[in-house]
Amino acid sequence: MSLSFDAPWILVLLVGLALWVWLARPNRLATLLRVGALALLCVALAGPRLALSDPDRYIYFLIDRSASIGVDSAQILQIVHSLAPPADKTFYGVISFGAQPVIETTFAPTVQLSEFQTELDTTATDIASAIRLALETFPRSGRREIVLLTDGQMTSGGLTVL
């Protein structure tokens, strides 16, 4: 179990509050109540987070297999294997895409794909649909990451920034 803060620098204000209490001694009860309220406010503003354990990490590799890539599938998979070392609580999945995305492998502790299993329409590149498929099939909990391997030449679909 660990405690972390979004803005830990706000906790520095607690030092100022402690100094104020030490200097302002006349009415101890009123001062203590004020300082207690301000201390709680400082902690709340710092954004505390209690983590019971490290979350699982899910990483999708989105691989562009369109004709414009011009790289051998074995080379692409070699790159994916080098980017996906086995690690605690980390799971990898692979989605390949051209005109349409396809899940090559579901999440596993290692990428065991030695060659692509699917035939794709390589005449187009739809990055947006590949990203949508990844977002729709991620587990509900845990850290989610996408690694996009593409030349960036979209021919269909469209990406919008939220």
Side-chain angles (χ1 to χ4, degrees), residues 45-104:
L45 288 174
R49 290 185 187 196
L50 184 63
L52 299 176
S53 66
D54 289 336
D56 290 340
R57 182 178 176 202
Y58 297 95
I59 301 172
Y60 255 136
F61 288 95
L62 277 54
I63 302 171
D64 184 352
R65 290 179 50 206
S66 64
S68 65
I69 290 294
V71 179
D72 186 334
S73 295
Q75 289 175 318
I76 294 172
L77 287 174
Q78 186 177 13
I79 292 168
V80 170
H81 286 284
S82 69
L83 293 173
D88 263 359
K89 296 186 173 194
T90 302
F91 302 93
Y92 303 100
V94 176
I95 294 176
S96 63
F97 65 95
Q100 301 237 329
V102 175
I103 297 176
E104 293 283 347

Side-chain angles (χ1 to χ4, degrees), residues 25-159:
R25 297 182 188 201
N27 187 348
R28 292 189 188 268
L29 182 59
T31 303
L32 272 172
L33 290 174
R34 286 182 188 133
V35 168
L38 289 173
L40 288 174
L41 179 64
C42 287
V43 170
L45 288 174
R49 290 185 187 196
L50 184 63
L52 299 176
S53 66
D54 289 336
D56 290 340
R57 182 178 176 202
Y58 297 95
I59 301 172
Y60 255 136
F61 288 95
L62 277 54
I63 302 171
D64 184 352
R65 290 179 50 206
S66 64
S68 65
I69 290 294
V71 179
D72 186 334
S73 295
Q75 289 175 318
I76 294 172
L77 287 174
Q78 186 177 13
I79 292 168
V80 170
H81 286 284
S82 69
L83 293 173
D88 263 359
K89 296 186 173 194
T90 302
F91 302 93
Y92 303 100
V94 176
I95 294 176
S96 63
F97 65 95
Q100 301 237 329
V102 175
I103 297 176
E104 293 283 347
T105 64
T106 57
F107 289 109
T110 60
V111 176
Q112 305 223 350
L113 193 62
S114 58
E115 62 183 34
F116 291 107
Q117 304 298 315
T118 58
E119 289 294 322
L120 296 175
D121 177 2
T122 61
T123 61
T125 304
D126 189 355
I127 298 172
S129 66
I131 292 173
R132 271 193 300 278
L133 178 62
L135 294 175
E136 291 169 358
T137 57
F138 267 125
R140 296 271 180 236
S141 63
R143 290 179 37 203
R144 297 169 290 210
E145 301 174 27
I146 293 175
V147 177
L148 181 62
L149 302 172
T150 181
D151 60 2
Q153 297 180 20
M154 292 187 305
T155 58
S156 62
L159 291 175

